[in-house]
Amino acid sequence: MKLRHVTAALVGSVAIAVAAASPSSSSSASISVTADSARTSGAAPNAGLADFSAAFVRSQAAPEMSPPGANDWACEPSAAHPRPVVLIHGTWANAYANWSGLSPALKRAGHCVYALNFGAPDGDVFKGRGHIPESAKEVAAFVDKVLAATGAEKVDLVGHSQGGGLLPRWYLKFEGGAAKTHRLVGIAPSNHGTTASGMASLARSLRVLDTVSQMAGLAAEDQTIGSAVNARLDAGGDTVPGVRYTTVVTRTDEVVTPYRQQYLAAGTDAPVDNLNLQDACPLDMSAHLGIAYSPVMYRLVLNALDPANTRPANCLS
């Protein structure tokens, strides 16, 4: 059990097991109700965690299913939104659990939306476990499929945790993604690795990190501060030329710690907007999983994808 606790702390996504204790949370209705409550009450402390949990429970019946609004392969990008949006889930999550809030919001705003599952065999509900360089190849193949289906020249990438940090940055830098990507929006991204509140450093000191990786997948080790993946990825700077970057970070993040590890430094022809959830809404205390269902986050992402038509991001978003 102690080793399992270390594994949970390394990435934190095992907190979705809380979903199993939510007896009535498996309905899709509960997802929208909680989000609406947060919107009308100004903000909820961390209502998004219940939404994430509800979606994860629902995904157990069909781990490969798409979130609402995603993977309409007949979607034609509009002049207003010429780039399809590709959603990349986090470690130990899956597309449906991660994106059942943001995906329909993007679809309603007029975007063509696509979401992949990666880093685990089909039928496995806990995805995103694989070695990040290998998962990046899966992202590359999926992006190529989206571009072929839509006829678009580039995509916008939006990801959470691993899916907004090391994984898409590896794709951009080492798998040819920079030429096919206009913008990367990282939500609570694991850009420079995490201590997971010190447990990753402890695991490394105790020489148990390799054992943890065998049980939890190499993605856990890849995302610790000082990993070989981090070292290679950060060499030469955080960004690649020609791509625009946005991070959406919460100060209450208990997984990617310290939270400032999530910020990026701009590079040549690679501007960066580092945004903080609490700067937009001081009442929104969404943590690492809850931010995936924060209406404030939705607005920040929509603004990043369509900067010519921004709307205020605040507690009434």
Side-chain angles (χ1 to χ4, degrees):
M1 285 301 292
K2 289 183 179 179
L3 188 56
R4 293 177 67 88
H5 292 160
V6 170
T7 304
L10 282 172
V11 184
S13 297
V14 81
I16 43 188
V18 173
S22 233
S24 61
S25 62
S26 60
S27 71
S28 57
S30 68
I31 297 172
S32 60
V33 167
T34 307
D36 289 342
S37 298
R39 187 178 295 109
T40 56
S41 65
N46 194 7
L49 179 58
D51 294 337
F52 193 108
S53 299
F56 185 77
V57 168
R58 189 173 176 85
S59 75
Q60 293 177 28
E64 308 308 319
M65 68 178 169
S66 300
N71 297 337
D72 174 4
W73 295 99
C75 186
E76 298 182 4
S78 65
H81 302 296
R83 292 177 299 276
V85 179
V86 174
L87 302 176
I88 310 174
H89 63 73
T91 308
W92 297 351
N94 57 62
Y96 187 89
N98 228 141
W99 302 122
S100 287
L102 181 61
S103 177
L106 291 170
K107 185 69 170 181
R108 287 192 299 269
H111 295 275
C112 290
V113 185
Y114 300 87
L116 76 156
N117 285 302
F118 66 90
D122 287 353
D124 192 330
V125 71
F126 291 99
K127 301 185 183 296
R129 304 194 319 267
H131 189 31
I132 282 175
E134 296 303 315
S135 292
K137 297 181 188 301
E138 296 186 60
V139 172
F142 189 82
V143 169
D144 286 350
K145 180 180 177 181
V146 169
L147 293 176
T150 60
E153 295 184 0
K154 293 187 176 185
V155 299
D156 287 324
L157 303 177
V158 178
H160 176 243
S161 194
Q162 176 195 159
L166 271 67
L167 174 55
R169 288 179 57 218
W170 191 280
Y171 163 66
L172 295 176
K173 192 168 185 177
F174 300 118
E175 293 294 337
K180 303 172 184 179
T181 303
H182 173 73
R183 181 183 294 274
L184 167 60
V185 182
I187 303 160
S190 58
N191 277 318
H192 298 296
T194 175
T195 67
S197 300
M199 292 305 294
S201 297
L202 175 62
R204 190 180 299 278
S205 298
L206 295 175
R207 301 177 182 270
V208 299
L209 196 54
D210 289 343
T211 304
V212 170
S213 296
Q214 291 173 17
M215 183 171 65
L218 286 173
E221 180 179 1
D222 290 345
Q223 291 175 94
T224 57
I225 293 173
S227 73
V229 166
N230 264 284
R232 185 177 176 199
L233 188 56
D234 288 348
D238 292 351
T239 60
V240 295
V243 179
R244 308 181 72 88
Y245 296 79
T246 301
T247 67
V248 181
V249 172
T250 174
R251 294 189 184 100
T252 60
D253 199 311
E254 79 288 21
V255 175
V256 184
T257 56
Y259 75 89
R260 293 184 182 278
Q261 289 289 105
Q262 301 174 37
Y263 293 142
L264 293 173
T268 303
D269 191 27
V272 174
D273 291 316
N274 290 311
L275 307 178
N276 192 284
L277 194 69
Q278 286 78 37
D279 288 344
C281 175
L283 300 178
D284 192 334
M285 293 292 106
S286 297
H288 189 74
L289 295 181
I291 194 175
Y293 285 84
S294 164
V296 182
M297 179 276 287
Y298 301 165
R299 175 44 51 194
L300 290 171
V301 171
L302 287 166
N303 287 350
L305 295 175
D306 190 6
N309 296 288
T310 60
R311 287 172 40 192
N314 53 41
C315 294
L316 299 178
S317 293

